[in-house]
Amino acid sequence: MKDEYKTKKQLIAEEALQKNSSLLKALSHAQSQFIANIDTHVLFDELLNQLITLTQSEYGYIGEVLYSSEGKPYVKTNAITNIAWNEETRKLYEKFASQGMELHNLKNLIGAVLITGKPVISNNPSTDPRRGGLPEGHPPLNAFLGMPLYKSGKLIGTVGIANRPNGYDEDLIEFLQPFLITCANIIEAHRIDQQRKLSEKEMTKLSMAIEQASDWVVITDSKGNIEYANKAVEEITGYKRDELIGQNPRIFKSGKHDEQFYKKMWDTILSGLPYRIIITNRKKNGELFEIYHTITPLKNKKGEITHFVSTAKDMTQQKLMEEKINYLAYYDTLTNLPNRSLFNDRVKQAVARAEYNKKLIAVLLVDIDRFTFINDTFGADVGDEVLKEVGKRLSNSVREGDTVARLGSDEFGISLIDIAQSSDIVLILKNIMKNIRQPIKIVREDLIITACIGISIYPADAKDSPTLVKNAEIALTKVRGMQMNNYQFYTSDMNVRASEFLLMEKNLFDALKNGEFIIYYQPYFDINTGEITGMEALLRWNSPALGLLPPSRFIPPLEETGMIIDVGEWILKTVCSQIKDWQNKGYSVVPVSVNLSPVQFSQRDLEDVLERHIKESGINPKFITFEITESAFMQDIEFTKSVLEKLKKIGISVSIDDFGTGYSSLSYLKRFPVDNLKIDISFIRDIATDPDSASIVTAIISMAHGLGIKTIAEGVETEEQWKILRILRCDIMQGFYRSRPLPAEDVEKMLNK
Ligand code: C2E
Ligand code: MG
Ligand code: MG
């Protein structure tokens, strides 16, 4: 059909169809481009081109609407640049911008779109009252169409075209609707895309910062599997990143913390709270390092924990530095011993502790004799070696918890803590002097070193640490002026006691060697029949210088020096062979009680030693009873119980000695397999005169009988006491009333043939 035959309506329809198909083509092209992720600027340029061609306009732009902080819409000056404008528009803008022409000006026609939110048609823009007039030299505009772009009800952009030869009308606006929708969609997508790009850029910056940070950053999933570790983690731990990814941070576990430590951490972070801790971790090469951790749980929008971020500082270097500084400030680098300031500190601490636990402290200042001579004769190297060796020897002479320090050139300080009695100090002192005196193999010949020692004791000599040290210094000065290889206590009283103690120790040692100890026997009698039922072995010392001495004079030093162990074994052996001897002579022997010192009782292999001696003697164990004081019994209940059970197994009986002086609880007594209970002499002494004593004895006897234990009254001196005890149903008696302790040959006469 030729054009002239077509009706106007047909022509319009055809034109519309043609327009329509180009529009659709343009839109589908734009959409495919958009999907293909073409740069949105290129896309907008293309869309705008299509629009201009389609509407035969001269000018055109697509702009994004921005909002001011008060919520007012505006088109930023460069917003059009951001989105799209055609070449003619750009030229116009650039030409008139300098004259103050603004595309976003609310006073122009675009402004009218923004203000009304509706399309604006003007077919006489030059004189349109909605516009403030064209600038000087502006080419004439014959028509303008501005259209708002909406997305989800919000004005997000404007499209403006101008100078269409036929002008603009409502039909065209209607026709362009799909185009406007697409434009709005793309602007929105563009906006989101821009934001994403922006945040990606931010993220890249952030992750680069994290990656290169000198602090440790580890990110794990909610189960604790490592998803990310930064470079610092590699450097600190020595693990490569691919060795860490997928692993649990357990890989760093040092074994220095218990389950409780980790549980507390997990409990906190699983509850959604951050947790801060100092952890000791292990590197790949096994070395330990300390790290100050902050573990933060990351949550999603629903509040569920999706990740944990652990950030930390490696403290090892800092710590090493601190340790080094600390070391230099408090230690002597030659001997590696504490220096004077740490020593003073330790003495101060010791005093504070001793005030609390009521124990003694001793401060010993040790000065090497003739040190200047050694240094000058053999050289400084030898001098250094001597100092190191003396430091070592001093350290080996004291107990754990005591301090040995180097205070000055050849002066050492020692603080002995937790001392129960002053004789302990004398023993340690003796040990120190002996150890120093050992020859040192440094030069060709052995070098014998000796030292002088000044000692002060807390609390007798001073109650504060500076005075304590000062008094030890005074004692040292005194001894140095007198002779080499000697010691001096600050108080003269202590000097006397120390020398007495040392003399006593020597004498007791000789006594055992020379057979000056003897055993007396004191019989036990049945309280009703008066028959001999047993006897107690009591130690005596027949000292050549002092005569026959009772145990109260020498048992304490035997215990303090530990010699009671050897003497105790001697006693048992002697008693066993005495029993054997009586048996051989045809006597009907009675059980002999042997006293065990608390020092012996606390020995770990006690029962083995006792059993061995009894076996070797060939006597029946039923002839031996051990007496153990109530206080020794109660020191360590479980230990006592196990020893008693072992003794019972061997067939040895046990008596509790001096009962009533300690604080035994009856419920404990029930748990111990004891045979006899010896009521302490103090109750027996007063039994006839003091009703309290009588009632205590009554209670003890009935309680013991309730438990199937026999009672022995010790120290019965009078007939009256004996009679009362008989009425109170005591079983056995011992005391001067019937017999004093006697030498073996005298007690023998009491035994039946
Ligand atoms: P003990 O085991 O309670 O011994 C009883 C003490 O009471 C003995 O003193 C004994 O002589 C004394 N005595 C006995 N009857 C009377 C009396 O009628 N009147 C008075 N005033 N005293 C009486 P002794 O022999 O001086 O022993 C004292 C303590 O020394 C003993 O108390 C015991 O704890 C300890 N002891 C004695 N010999 C040894 C021993 O061989 N080894 C150990 N480890 N300690 C012993
Ligand atoms: Mg006894
Ligand atoms: Mg007793």
Side-chain angles (χ1 to χ4, degrees):
M1 210 195 286
K2 281 200 174 159
D3 275 6
E4 56 263 42
Y5 299 113
K6 289 179 190 166
T7 63
K8 185 146 193 253
K9 209 173 175 184
Q10 272 178 323
L11 280 172
I12 291 170
E14 251 175 50
E15 193 195 7
L17 195 71
Q18 197 194 345
K19 274 185 190 165
N20 230 337
S21 74
S22 346
L23 177 71
L24 289 176
K25 246 194 254 161
L27 293 181
S28 82
H29 182 69
Q31 258 150 357
S32 69
Q33 294 272 32
F34 183 66
I35 291 161
N37 214 0
I38 293 288
D39 183 343
T40 38
H41 287 290
V42 177
L43 200 53
F44 279 120
D45 280 347
E46 209 160 299
L47 270 176
L48 183 64
N49 269 338
Q50 295 291 339
L51 179 69
I52 283 170
T53 319
L54 213 61
T55 59
Q56 296 153 4
S57 302
E58 192 182 349
Y59 302 105
Y61 82 90
I62 303 172
E64 185 183 1
V65 169
L66 301 173
Y67 287 86
S68 68
S69 52
E70 299 99 59
K72 285 201 180 128
Y74 69 97
V75 177
K76 226 168 50 174
T77 304
N78 64 357
I80 292 179
T81 325
N82 273 347
I83 302 291
W85 56 10
N86 73 343
E87 193 56 21
E88 314 322 307
T89 314
R90 186 184 64 79
K91 278 191 204 147
L92 258 189
Y93 177 74
E94 278 169 5
K95 186 168 172 194
F96 293 101
S98 56
Q99 292 177 29
M101 187 182 90
E102 294 177 54
L103 287 181
H104 71 284
N105 191 339
L106 288 182
K107 286 186 198 128
N108 65 22
L109 292 170
I110 298 170
V113 177
L114 289 176
I115 291 165
T116 61
K118 290 194 173 123
V120 169
I121 298 171
S122 173
N123 282 321
N124 194 0
S126 307
T127 57
D128 196 301
R130 288 172 295 185
R131 143 178 259 298
L134 290 174
E136 196 82 4
H138 194 291
L141 290 178
N142 73 354
F144 170 84
L145 171 61
M147 289 166 290
L149 297 175
Y150 283 97
K151 180 75 194 169
S152 313
K154 190 178 176 188
L155 181 66
I156 63 161
T158 58
V159 174
I161 39 181
N163 273 7
R164 186 185 196 230
N166 296 338
Y168 302 102
D169 57 20
E170 297 290 337
D171 284 350
L172 186 69
I173 296 173
E174 186 67 35
F175 170 74
L176 288 176
Q177 277 315 309
F179 177 85
L180 298 178
I181 292 168
T182 305
C183 263
N185 283 341
I186 295 177
I187 286 184
E188 175 71 358
H190 169 76
R191 201 180 53 79
I192 293 170
D193 194 48
Q194 285 301 92
Q195 258 172 17
R196 184 179 54 82
K197 275 195 183 139
L198 204 73
S199 60
E200 261 175 20
K201 227 160 112 188
E202 287 295 310
M203 285 306 279
T204 324
K205 233 193 306 181
L206 258 175
S207 59
M208 267 165 66
I210 290 175
E211 179 59 21
Q212 285 161 28
S214 63
D215 289 351
W216 148 306
V217 180
V218 169
I219 301 174
T220 74
D221 64 14
S222 59
K223 294 193 184 69
N225 299 315
I226 298 176
E227 285 186 353
Y228 171 81
N230 72 347
K231 224 177 22 254
V233 178
E234 286 190 328
E235 277 162 16
I236 295 170
T237 65
Y239 285 104
K240 284 271 156 275
R241 205 120 19 143
D242 27 327
E243 295 176 288
L244 293 174
I245 306 298
Q247 290 282 355
N248 189 287
R250 230 177 275 129
I251 193 170
F252 306 127
K253 213 168 177 174
S254 63
K256 293 273 173 200
H257 309 290
D258 57 10
E259 286 309 311
Q260 204 51 36
F261 179 89
Y262 293 104
K263 188 178 176 299
K264 199 170 158 204
M265 176 184 92
W266 276 107
D267 286 352
T268 310
I269 58 176
L270 285 175
S271 76
L273 296 172
Y275 192 64
R276 286 185 187 83
I277 22 157
I278 295 181
I279 296 190
T280 303
N281 278 339
R282 196 177 289 284
K283 298 184 186 184
K284 191 181 178 186
N285 67 7
E287 260 174 49
L288 297 180
F289 65 100
E290 210 170 46
I291 207 159
Y292 183 53
H293 259 283
T294 303
I295 303 172
T296 315
L298 291 188
K299 295 182 213 164
N300 63 14
K301 280 198 183 126
K302 284 192 242 161
E304 300 156 339
I305 295 171
T306 58
H307 292 85
F308 294 107
V309 182
S310 129
T311 52
K313 270 194 187 329
D314 175 15
M315 305 191 14
T316 319
Q317 281 309 319
Q318 194 187 341
K319 255 210 121 167
L320 282 179
M321 205 57 195
E322 275 168 16
E323 271 171 15
K324 186 146 186 213
I325 291 168
N326 187 41
Y327 192 86
L328 290 175
Y330 290 111
Y331 287 85
D332 165 48
T333 45
L334 176 70
T335 58
N336 286 330
L337 293 173
N339 64 12
R340 189 181 282 273
S341 76
L342 183 54
F343 180 70
N344 289 339
D345 228 51
R346 294 267 173 91
V347 176
K348 203 164 138 194
Q349 281 172 24
V351 168
R353 208 177 122 104
E355 269 170 10
Y356 171 76
N357 68 12
K358 304 276 173 267
K359 295 271 175 80
L360 308 178
I361 307 167
V363 169
L364 284 68
L365 297 184
V366 182
D367 188 279
I368 302 175
D369 295 327
R370 300 182 308 151
F371 184 73
T372 322
F373 169 78
I374 296 169
N375 226 8
D376 293 348
T377 316
F378 302 107
D381 286 351
V382 169
D384 283 355
E385 284 310 307
V386 169
L387 290 173
K388 279 200 241 176
E389 182 60 28
V390 170
K392 251 188 245 162
R393 289 178 182 193
L394 293 177
S395 303
N396 292 337
S397 314
V398 300
R399 304 154 308 167
E400 215 175 302
D402 295 339
T403 301
V404 174
R406 183 173 171 223
L407 307 183
S409 69
D410 65 335
E411 190 177 324
F412 292 83
I414 301 174
S415 78
L416 304 175
I417 59 165
D418 282 350
I419 296 190
Q421 55 210 5
S422 53
S423 55
D424 291 350
I425 303 170
V426 182
L427 288 172
I428 300 173
L429 175 69
K430 216 184 82 183
N431 198 24
I432 290 171
M433 298 197 56
K434 188 186 95 201
N435 287 345
I436 296 179
R437 240 172 11 236
Q438 302 302 314
I440 301 185
K441 266 213 185 335
I442 294 179
V443 267
R444 260 161 289 125
E445 285 150 76
D446 284 351
L447 203 59
I448 305 277
I449 304 290
T450 56
C452 283
I453 304 179
I455 308 130
S456 67
I457 298 173
Y458 168 93
D461 298 343
K463 292 206 169 49
D464 64 285
S465 58
T467 318
L468 200 57
V469 176
K470 197 189 83 205
N471 290 349
E473 200 95 50
I474 292 171
L476 177 64
T477 315
K478 227 191 261 174
V479 67
R480 247 194 326 222
M482 293 187 322
Q483 65 185 120
M484 298 201 309
N485 188 29
N486 208 344
Y487 66 89
Q488 182 81 37
F489 283 88
Y490 177 70
T491 39
S492 47
D493 173 44
M494 189 58 207
N495 285 323
V496 175
R497 264 161 49 203
S499 49
E500 271 178 6
F501 180 86
L502 290 175
L503 182 67
M504 178 62 108
E505 190 193 16
K506 187 186 175 300
N507 289 343
L508 287 171
F509 183 77
D510 291 344
L512 184 60
K513 200 174 63 184
N514 302 337
E516 293 163 16
F517 288 121
I518 39 175
I519 293 174
Y520 274 37
Y521 296 87
Q522 187 179 22
Y524 292 151
F525 301 96
D526 184 301
I527 214 153
N528 297 311
T529 65
E531 268 174 54
I532 182 165
T533 60
M535 51 179 88
E536 180 174 13
L538 294 164
L539 190 62
R540 300 287 179 266
W541 176 20
N542 196 1
S543 159
L546 305 164
L548 193 66
L549 297 176
S552 57
R553 293 285 297 278
F554 60 89
I555 296 253
L558 280 181
E559 287 179 334
E560 284 163 20
T561 54
M563 279 171 66
I564 191 73
I565 305 282
D566 290 338
V567 174
E569 285 187 35
W570 175 85
I571 295 166
L572 182 61
K573 272 199 288 196
T574 312
V575 167
C576 288
S577 69
Q578 183 62 67
I579 294 172
K580 188 87 206 159
D581 187 46
W582 282 329
Q583 280 178 336
N584 290 344
K585 286 182 183 161
Y587 290 106
S588 117
V589 292
V590 288
V592 179
S593 293
V594 173
N595 291 287
L596 283 186
S597 146
V599 177
Q600 283 174 284
F601 191 66
S602 59
Q603 262 200 309
R604 296 285 134 168
D605 59 345
L606 175 73
E607 59 278 353
D608 299 336
V609 175
L610 301 181
E611 188 181 16
R612 185 161 46 84
H613 288 307
I614 294 170
K615 267 201 181 132
E616 276 171 9
S617 73
I619 64 157
N620 189 327
K622 74 174 183 192
F623 289 121
I624 297 289
T625 300
F626 286 117
E627 293 192 4
I628 303 156
T629 56
E630 188 187 1
S631 49
F633 246 74
M634 301 304 291
Q635 261 168 25
D636 181 347
I637 306 284
E638 284 311 310
F639 176 70
T640 301
K641 201 169 161 236
S642 79
V643 173
L644 294 187
E645 274 159 6
K646 282 176 196 156
L647 292 178
K648 194 99 238 161
K649 241 185 181 167
I650 303 170
I652 299 170
S653 305
V654 173
S655 301
I656 303 186
D657 209 347
D658 304 343
F659 189 83
T661 54
Y663 301 95
S664 307
S665 129
L666 300 186
S667 59
Y668 281 128
L669 262 192
K670 230 189 307 190
R671 292 169 54 194
F672 297 139
V674 294
D675 304 277
N676 312 302
L677 193 154
K678 288 184 74 180
I679 304 166
D680 191 64
I681 194 167
S682 55
F683 301 108
I684 309 301
R685 195 183 294 131
D686 304 333
I687 199 166
T689 50
D690 178 11
D692 280 352
S693 289
S695 53
I696 290 171
V697 172
T698 312
I700 293 174
I701 292 171
S702 68
M703 175 205 70
H705 286 172
L707 295 170
I709 298 171
K710 280 194 172 173
T711 48
I712 303 172
E714 59 179 28
V716 179
E717 295 186 348
T718 65
E719 188 181 358
E720 198 186 8
Q721 289 167 343
W722 162 62
K723 280 184 175 159
I724 293 172
L725 286 162
R726 199 175 53 174
I727 293 165
L728 296 180
R729 309 195 48 203
C730 183
D731 304 285
I732 295 160
M733 59 157 282
Q734 175 197 34
F736 299 168
Y737 172 59
R738 284 293 309 272
S739 172
R740 291 193 168 255
L742 301 168
E745 56 273 22
D746 294 339
V747 86
E748 191 179 297
K749 292 173 192 140
M750 294 187 181
L751 295 173
N752 302 317
K753 274 269 183 186

